[in-house]
């Protein structure tokens, strides 16, 4: 991220998507991981676009399961597994009802026990997530500009 100011990670486009959303959507998982080196990058993990989807939703849709796990490993971003999109679907639900959300269906190699286990919450985590009130702005007050990843 030396080529971009860290605050640029908070820029949202007309779809309310951050650079992290686009890195995930375009299969640039190495870039997405690099964004997580900065607090600004971590803040965008919980941001929802106009469809209510977080980068974690998109990571699962793209079958980038290792990235989905990485995005939700940090205690402050763990809540992302329970955030519902506008259709009422959370990343956790996507993995527990994969027949509804993945076409072609997930294989046993893709849907590992480790992956399903990671998206489970212990009762303590569940309680912790409810108490966690991390202020994530829908739009950064200084940096709301149009962002077009196509150029």
């Amino acid at each position: 991220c030396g080529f971009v100011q860290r605050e640029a990670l908070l820029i949202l486009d007309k779809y309310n998507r951050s650079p992290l959303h686009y890195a995930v959507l375009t299969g640039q998982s190495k870039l997405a991981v690099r964004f997580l080196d900065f607090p600004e990058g971590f803040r965008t993990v919980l941001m929802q676009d106009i469809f209510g989807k977080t980068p974690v939703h998109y990571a699962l849709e793209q079958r980038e399961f290792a990235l989905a796990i990485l995005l939700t490993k940090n205690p402050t971003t763990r809540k992302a597994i329970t955030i519902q999109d506008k259709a009422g679907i959370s990343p956790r639900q996507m993995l527990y009802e994969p027949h509804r959300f993945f076409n072609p269906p997930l294989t046993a190699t893709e849907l590992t026990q480790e992956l399903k286990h990671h998206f489970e919450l212990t009762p303590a985590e569940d309680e912790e997530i409810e108490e966690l009130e991390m202020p994530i702005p829908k739009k950064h007050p200084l940096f709301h500009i149009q962002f077009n990843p196509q150029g």
Side-chain angles (χ1 to χ4, degrees):
C1 275
F3 63 93
V4 69
Q5 298 237 343
R6 292 175 14 178
E7 293 82 13
L9 297 174
L10 298 172
I11 293 173
L12 304 177
D13 72 356
K14 66 182 179 181
Y15 301 106
N16 218 38
R17 290 182 179 150
S18 69
L20 180 60
H21 280 90
Y22 281 103
V24 173
L25 277 166
T26 58
Q28 298 181 50
S29 54
K30 286 183 181 178
L31 182 60
V33 169
R34 184 81 172 106
F35 288 163
L36 299 180
D37 287 342
F38 304 97
E40 295 84 359
F42 264 103
R43 288 180 50 197
T44 62
V45 172
L46 301 179
M47 286 185 175
Q48 293 175 273
D49 65 12
I50 62 170
F51 305 105
K53 294 186 179 200
T54 66
V56 180
H57 284 91
Y58 290 119
L60 291 176
E61 287 178 7
Q62 300 291 322
R63 294 176 182 241
E64 292 282 348
F65 303 115
L67 181 58
I69 288 173
L70 186 65
L71 291 172
T72 57
K73 252 189 172 151
N74 187 294
T76 57
T77 60
R78 189 90 173 113
K79 178 181 181 173
I81 68 175
T82 63
I83 294 175
Q84 294 181 348
D85 64 15
K86 293 216 174 178
I89 299 163
S90 71
R92 181 171 37 173
Q93 184 180 1
M94 291 172 72
L95 289 175
Y96 279 87
E97 299 178 53
H99 57 282
R100 289 181 54 205
F101 305 108
F102 293 95
N103 189 12
L106 294 180
T107 65
T109 308
E110 291 175 311
L111 189 60
T112 63
Q113 285 304 107
E114 176 189 0
L115 179 62
K116 283 183 77 171
H117 179 71
H118 177 77
F119 279 80
E120 290 176 0
L121 290 177
T122 66
E125 280 181 318
D126 211 10
E127 194 173 297
E128 209 173 281
I129 283 174
E130 285 180 21
E131 291 174 8
L132 180 65
E133 290 299 326
M134 185 174 165
I136 303 293
K138 280 301 249 180
K139 299 192 186 315
H140 190 277
L142 299 176
F143 295 101
H144 186 71
I145 63 171
Q146 296 299 310
F147 172 74
N148 182 352
Q150 303 302 320

